[in-house]
Amino acid sequence: MHTHSKSFPIQLTERSTFNDIDWDNLAFGKTFSDHMFSMDYENGAWVNGKVMPFQPIPMHPAMSAIHYGQSIFEGLKAYKSKNGQINIFRPELNAMRFAESAKRMCMPEVPESIFLEAIRTLIGVDRNWVPEADGYSLYIRPFMFATDHLIGIKPSDSYKFMILTSPVGVYYSEPVRVKIEESYTRAAIGGVGRAKAAGNYGASLYPAKQCQLEGFHQLVWTDAIEHKYIEESGTMNIIFQIDGKLISPSEDADTILRGITKRTLIELAKEWGIEVEERRVTVEEIISAVRAGKLEDAFGAGTAATIAQIDIIGFRDEKLQLPPIETRQLSNRIKAYLDDVKYGKIEDIYGWNMTI
Ligand SMILES: *Cc1c(COP(=O)(O)O)cnc(C)c1O
């Protein structure tokens, strides 16, 4: 049974670090705001939810999350509009995905009402931490991990659900160079690729580092069986445009993370009358399209980077140059529209923003 409170107690910090921050040089994820949210799962119920000063958490050496990886997270952003209103983009979809990740990892679900109220309360307390400059936002990181003190392998009985926030600037300062990966794998059918499970990211670091040594930013992941089908790029979903059509790998297989940015831009493209194909996308068709000068656009989509336009695709020993960024009608239009909604510059006609 879930217990559920409508509002959470707030314990304010006595030492704000707000004035110590170099607000013009925010490296992604290195700066944390004054408060965090914490809640415990004990005896089958969520209890003890509170906003408290940002601080280290005590940890038992046998805490099961460290040993066996029952650990999941989410990522979303709060944006400030000119009139001071704070917009959080489609947080109910993060709540839903967090619950799905929890289920796959044998962890308790956090009810949507708790998830959203926790974010509301925390951002309400730290609202001055949401930067105002263009391209800046407050990154919100909800996470949950197993806290049993036990070396035996079994689902933990106790968990912590926490949220921290971090003011951030732009993620990629230039268009990205990606490399098609044909030996390492991010996710296999039947695995945990659809979940935002911590271990997925640990497993991706080594292959990503190899391509970074060759001058690329990220890998393009392919299917685990034949390395023939394109799945995602780094920690973003991937989208192409050929002959005016928007093409993206289908999420039917459980190897692809169901991104909220991608879902949103597909909804938009359909509204705008753009033909959309979500299907299996082969490496071969993308490489042939580049060679024939038919690949009009290619980009990654995710909360951290929003839209990351792809400049170069590495395939085996080749580096294939994509069309100039100024010619990218699709990604430029989507990026501008999403930014305008998030920063409250145009009317939020689809009701995407939760406002605080
Ligand atoms: C988080 C994530 C994405 C993007 O999802 P958004 O909801 O758009 O932020 C895509 N792929 C992977 C592997 C991710 O972890």
Side-chain angles (χ1 to χ4, degrees):
M1 279 284 97
H2 298 294
T3 50
H4 156 219
S5 64
K6 263 261 163 271
S7 65
F8 296 109
I10 297 165
Q11 189 194 338
L12 294 175
T13 185
E14 283 165 13
R15 286 190 302 123
S16 172
T17 59
F18 190 85
N19 292 323
D20 306 338
I21 309 300
D22 180 1
W23 288 94
D24 296 324
N25 295 292
L26 291 171
F28 194 94
K30 278 196 181 166
T31 307
F32 302 101
S33 44
D34 280 337
H35 298 90
M36 63 185 192
F37 177 84
S38 173
M39 194 167 195
D40 302 315
Y41 188 79
E42 288 168 8
N43 305 315
W46 286 107
V47 295
N48 198 24
K50 59 179 180 291
V51 169
M52 61 198 285
F54 187 85
Q55 61 191 277
I57 43 182
M59 194 162 67
H60 189 282
M63 187 178 81
S64 58
I66 313 176
H67 296 270
Y68 305 123
Q70 267 189 303
S71 181
I72 59 170
F73 67 96
E74 268 303 323
L76 62 165
K77 280 176 172 176
Y79 304 83
K80 195 171 272 177
S81 57
K82 285 274 169 285
N83 65 6
Q85 178 174 288
I86 290 167
N87 297 325
I88 301 181
F89 193 71
R90 310 192 82 174
E92 62 291 341
L93 297 184
N94 296 91
M96 195 192 303
R97 188 169 64 193
F98 198 54
E100 284 163 6
S101 297
K103 190 168 179 206
R104 179 62 182 83
M105 298 302 290
C106 243
M107 300 164 81
E109 292 178 18
V110 175
E112 184 189 78
S113 56
I114 291 182
F115 187 92
L116 296 180
E117 190 55 30
I119 290 175
R120 256 182 200 294
T121 312
L122 180 61
I123 305 303
V125 169
D126 276 339
R127 64 181 300 134
N128 62 327
W129 284 83
V130 185
E132 282 173 37
D134 260 354
Y136 285 69
S137 57
L138 186 69
Y139 185 80
I140 305 170
R141 166 53 60 87
F143 55 110
M144 193 212 305
F145 54 95
T147 53
D148 276 8
H149 305 165
L150 176 78
I151 285 295
I153 298 194
K154 70 173 210 31
S156 182
D157 289 324
S158 61
Y159 296 86
K160 242 186 210 311
F161 166 47
M162 300 188 66
I163 306 174
L164 59 80
T165 68
S166 170
V168 295
V170 287
Y171 195 78
Y172 288 117
S173 52
E174 55 178 356
V176 295
R177 300 179 292 278
V178 300
K179 185 183 178 194
I180 295 180
E181 176 59 58
E182 295 185 285
S183 43
Y184 293 104
T185 294
R186 190 191 86 89
I189 292 169
V192 294
R194 183 176 285 171
K196 250 175 146 66
N200 286 340
Y201 304 84
S204 74
L205 297 177
Y206 181 83
K209 193 173 165 196
Q210 305 313 305
C211 86
Q212 282 154 12
L213 292 173
E214 294 173 53
F216 295 97
H217 293 96
Q218 269 305 347
L219 289 173
V220 173
W221 298 108
T222 53
D223 71 282
I225 301 168
E226 299 174 276
H227 296 293
K228 217 168 110 179
Y229 300 98
I230 291 179
E231 302 212 311
E232 297 199 54
S233 177
T235 55
M236 295 182 290
N237 295 116
I238 193 164
I239 294 99
F240 302 98
Q241 190 181 28
I242 300 173
D243 290 331
K245 268 188 263 181
L246 184 160
I247 299 167
S248 188
S250 139
E251 295 166 347
D252 289 349
D254 59 6
T255 54
I256 295 184
L257 192 120
R258 294 177 157 179
I260 295 161
T261 315
K262 171 174 156 176
R263 188 51 39 212
T264 303
L265 73 86
I266 283 178
E267 289 167 17
L268 262 187
K270 286 180 177 166
E271 286 276 319
W272 292 344
I274 294 166
E275 207 177 317
V276 172
E277 287 182 3
E278 290 188 85
R279 56 167 171 81
R280 296 190 105 183
V281 179
T282 64
V283 172
E284 205 262 309
E285 73 177 297
I286 296 304
I287 297 303
S288 311
V290 183
R291 290 207 170 108
K294 288 185 143 201
L295 187 74
E296 291 148 11
D297 206 343
F299 54 98
T303 295
T306 316
I307 301 294
Q309 290 158 318
I310 297 171
D311 187 28
I312 286 173
I313 298 183
F315 179 56
R316 298 180 184 162
D317 291 329
E318 278 182 275
K319 288 186 177 171
L320 301 159
Q321 176 67 52
L322 271 51
I325 300 301
E326 333 59 273
T327 66
R328 311 285 186 91
Q329 289 189 19
L330 181 66
S331 54
N332 286 332
R333 184 177 177 194
I334 289 169
K335 189 172 179 339
Y337 190 90
L338 291 180
D339 280 350
D340 284 350
V341 173
K342 292 169 176 179
Y343 289 104
K345 291 179 183 168
I346 56 173
E347 199 191 333
D348 175 20
I349 57 172
Y350 304 107
W352 286 331
N353 290 327
M354 173 172 96
T355 61
I356 295 179

